[in-house]
Amino acid sequence: MAKYRAWLGVILVLTIASVVVITQIPTRLGLDLRGGSQLTIQVQPTAAIPTITERELEAVQTVVEGRVNGLGVSEAVVQQLGNNQLLVQLPGVSDPQQAERVLGGTAQLEFRAQRPGTDQQLQIENQVLQGHLGELAALQATLPSNGEINSDTQARIDKLQADITASEKAVAALFELSTLGGDKLTDAIARPTSGTLWEVVIQFNSEGGNEFAEVSKAIAGTGRTIGIFLDNRLLSAPSVAVQYAETGITGGSAVISGNFTAESARDLEIQLRGGALPLPVEVVENRTVGPTLGRDSIQRSLYAGIAGLGLVLVFMAVYYRLPGILADIALIIYALLTWAAFNLLGVTLTLPGIAGFILSIGMAVDANVLIFERTREELQAGKTLYRSVESGFYRAFSSILDGNVTTLISCLALFYFGAGLVKGFALTLAIGVIISMFTALTCTRTLMFLAISLPQFRRPSLFCPGLTTARPDTVRP
C-alpha cells in the first residue's frame, strides 16, 4: 500500500495546485460569454487575382490583424474561415460599425523617402512610439479576462491609443509623399542568408522598378531611409548604400537586410504581400453579443454544469455504493484539474467549450462505470475483494483506452477541419478526456485500494449490493 499512499500525496498536491491556479489565474471568456462584436469578412477576387489562395488569404489576414490591433481590443481573434473569408471576434467592442469602418477597405502600402534633416527627429519619434506601444501591451496583459474594465483603465487605454495614433502621424510626417505603392509591388520573399540571419527580397513591376530606382538614388549614402508604410504605420525603414548614389537600385528588385530572424523576416514578407494585394474586403456579417446576454449564458451554463454534475454524483453514490462515493471524489478532483488546465493553458472558454467540458465529465463517469462493473463481475464470480478490484481495473483498461483514443481522434479532426467555436469545443473536450483518463486510472484506483486496506470498508456488500459473503481476502502490504 506504500505506493498508493505516495499516489495519494501526489493527488493532494495536484488538487491544491489546481485551486491555487484557479484563484490566481482568471478564466478567459470568449465573445459569446463576455459580449462584443463578431464580423465575417469576405475577400473579393479581382481581374488580376481571380482566385483567392491560402497565400493571399494569409496576407490579408495579417493586414486585418494589424487593423484590429489599432482598435486596442484585447484578446481579439482573427482566423481564416473557409477559402475566402475571415472571422474577426472583438470581445468588449460595443460599436460594430466603427470596427467595420476600420477593418474594411484595401490595404495601403507605400514606399516613402525620408525628408532631409529629420534623422534626429525620426529617432526621437520612434522611441516615443515604441514607449507608447510597450505601455499599452503591458496594460492589456493585466486586463481581466471577463472583459470588465473600470473607467480609469479604459481612460488610460483610450489615451494611449490616441498617443500612438499621434506618434504614427508624427513619424509619417517625416517622410515625403510618394506614388510608389503596393499596386506596383509584385512579390516579397523571405530567405536565409548566412547562419541564423534572414533577408527579404522585394520585386516591383516595370513602372514600380523605375520609381524605386529614383527614390533609392535620392537617399543613397545620405543616412536617410526609405519608409515602408502599411495603412500609415511604419513597417521598416531601410537605408541605401552609397554605391547606388548615381543610378539607384535598378532592375525592379531589392533586398532588405539587417538583423532579421526567420520569424521577423516572415512577418515582414506577409505584411508586404498583404499591402501589395489589390484585394478589396467586404463585411458580410456583423453580429453583436451584449454583455447581459453573455452573463446570462454564463449563469445558465453554470446551473447546467452544477445540476448535471450533482445528478451524476448522486447516481454514482446510490448505485455503486462505496466505489461510487470514491468516484465522486475523483470526479471533483477531475473538475478542479480540468478547470486549472484551462486557465493555465490560456484556453478561451466559450459556450461550445463549456459543452465540451460537460461532455468530458460523461467520459470520466463512463470510465468509472466500466471499472466498477468489471469489479462486480469478479466478485460475483467468487474472487476475493482485492483480486476483484485489481481485475476490474485491469479488464476495463483496454475499453477505457479505446474509447478515449477514438474520442481524441474525433477531437483532432474537429480541431483541424473546424473553425471558430468548433475548435473551442474540440480543445476543451480533448483536455477533459485526457485528464479524465488520468483521474480514473490514478485517483479512483488509489482511493479504492486505500479503502479496501481498512477493515471497516472490506465488506463485499459495499461494492456489490446483495452480495454478503466472499472468499477470505488478503490485502497486500
Side-chain angles (χ1 to χ4, degrees):
M1 288 298 154
K3 69 174 181 178
Y4 294 115
R5 294 190 184 95
W7 268 114
L8 182 62
V10 172
I11 293 167
L12 288 174
V13 170
L14 288 176
T15 304
I16 295 171
S18 298
V19 173
V20 172
V21 169
I22 291 170
T23 55
Q24 297 299 319
I25 302 178
T27 304
R28 298 174 60 181
L29 302 179
L31 178 71
D32 51 355
L33 299 179
R34 288 177 55 182
S37 300
Q38 177 174 296
L39 297 86
T40 303
I41 297 177
Q42 178 89 33
V43 182
Q44 306 290 339
T46 63
I49 306 178
T51 304
I52 308 297
T53 65
E54 185 177 354
R55 193 167 185 254
E56 280 82 25
L57 191 59
E58 182 184 33
V60 176
Q61 179 181 358
T62 302
V63 174
V64 172
E65 286 174 345
R67 294 178 178 180
V68 167
N69 292 335
L71 287 172
V73 180
S74 62
E75 298 181 11
V77 175
V78 181
Q79 55 189 199
Q80 297 180 16
L81 188 64
N83 298 323
N84 58 358
Q85 289 185 336
L86 296 174
L87 180 68
V88 182
Q89 295 182 339
L90 307 172
V93 173
S94 57
D95 186 4
Q97 280 71 34
Q98 179 202 7
E100 185 172 340
R101 288 193 300 270
V102 173
L103 300 181
T106 307
Q108 300 296 322
L109 180 69
E110 295 177 279
F111 294 81
R112 306 176 185 174
Q114 184 182 345
R115 298 181 187 275
T118 59
D119 295 353
Q120 186 175 2
Q121 185 65 23
L122 178 60
Q123 184 177 1
I124 294 172
E125 294 293 349
N126 259 328
Q127 289 177 348
V128 173
L129 175 60
Q130 294 305 316
H132 291 326
L133 291 171
E135 186 177 353
L136 179 62
L139 179 59
Q140 290 179 334
T142 63
L143 296 180
S145 60
N146 58 10
E148 296 179 359
I149 305 175
N150 59 48
S151 57
D152 292 339
T153 303
Q154 187 60 55
R156 286 181 60 195
I157 292 176
D158 294 341
K159 185 179 183 304
L160 283 172
Q161 284 294 334
D163 291 341
I164 290 171
T165 301
S167 293
E168 288 175 342
K169 289 182 179 179
V171 170
L174 302 178
F175 291 82
E176 298 174 350
L177 297 179
S178 171
T179 59
L180 181 56
D183 57 329
K184 299 169 186 175
L185 182 70
T186 58
D187 206 356
I189 304 171
R191 67 184 185 187
T193 54
S194 59
T196 59
L197 297 180
W198 283 63
E199 63 186 15
V200 179
V201 180
I202 54 176
Q203 298 174 351
F204 296 92
N205 59 20
S206 57
E207 182 182 357
N210 294 332
E211 290 188 33
F212 186 76
E214 293 297 322
V215 172
S216 57
K217 177 181 177 181
I219 67 167
T222 65
R224 291 182 281 131
T225 61
I226 297 178
I228 305 175
F229 289 83
L230 180 61
D231 287 342
N232 214 37
R233 291 188 178 90
L234 184 63
L235 296 181
S236 182
S239 58
V240 180
V242 67
Q243 68 192 74
Y244 299 104
E246 292 186 5
T247 61
I249 301 177
T250 58
S253 179
V255 175
I256 304 174
S257 58
N259 295 323
F260 284 117
T261 62
E263 182 180 359
S264 60
R266 172 67 173 161
D267 289 343
L268 181 58
E269 172 198 338
I270 294 175
Q271 289 171 326
L272 290 173
R273 284 198 286 107
L277 290 175
L279 292 174
V281 296
E282 178 186 356
V283 178
V284 295
E285 182 185 12
N286 195 333
R287 185 160 58 90
T288 303
V289 179
T292 301
L293 180 60
R295 284 193 295 269
D296 290 343
S297 298
I298 295 174
Q299 191 176 49
R300 292 179 182 179
S301 299
L302 187 61
Y303 289 161
I306 293 175
L309 184 59
L311 289 173
V312 168
L313 295 179
V314 171
F315 169 79
M316 294 294 290
V318 171
Y319 190 78
Y320 287 107
R321 306 291 179 90
L322 178 61
I325 294 173
L326 299 179
D328 289 347
I329 298 173
L331 281 176
I332 294 172
I333 295 173
Y334 156 78
L336 291 174
L337 291 176
T338 306
W339 189 359
F342 290 164
N343 292 7
L344 202 59
L345 297 175
V347 174
T348 300
L349 206 57
T350 61
L351 282 176
I354 293 176
F357 172 57
I358 294 174
L359 181 58
S360 67
I361 293 176
M363 298 291 295
V365 173
D366 182 58
N368 286 290
V369 167
L370 287 172
I371 294 168
F372 299 156
E373 289 296 334
R374 295 291 186 270
T375 301
R376 280 187 174 185
E377 291 174 2
E378 298 297 323
L379 280 171
Q380 291 168 349
K383 289 188 177 180
T384 66
L385 184 58
Y386 183 90
R387 288 293 183 186
S388 298
V389 173
E390 190 176 50
S391 298
F393 278 94
Y394 178 78
R395 291 180 58 195
F397 177 77
S398 60
S399 300
I400 295 171
L401 181 63
D402 292 345
N404 286 333
V405 168
T406 53
T407 303
L408 288 174
I409 292 173
S410 301
C411 291
L412 182 63
L414 286 173
F415 190 85
Y416 184 78
F417 294 106
L421 300 178
V422 175
K423 286 191 173 183
F425 171 81
L427 180 61
T428 54
L429 179 57
I431 293 174
V433 166
I434 293 171
I435 297 178
S436 73
M437 187 170 180
F438 169 79
T439 54
L441 299 178
T442 57
C443 296
T444 306
R445 184 185 183 93
T446 299
L447 294 174
M448 284 274 284
F449 279 103
L450 286 175
I452 63 176
S453 68
L454 303 174
Q456 60 268 35
F457 295 127
R458 221 173 289 164
R459 289 179 294 166
S461 60
L462 293 177
F463 293 81
C464 182
L467 186 65
T468 57
T469 59
R471 290 177 55 191
D473 203 1
T474 302
V475 179
R476 296 181 180 179

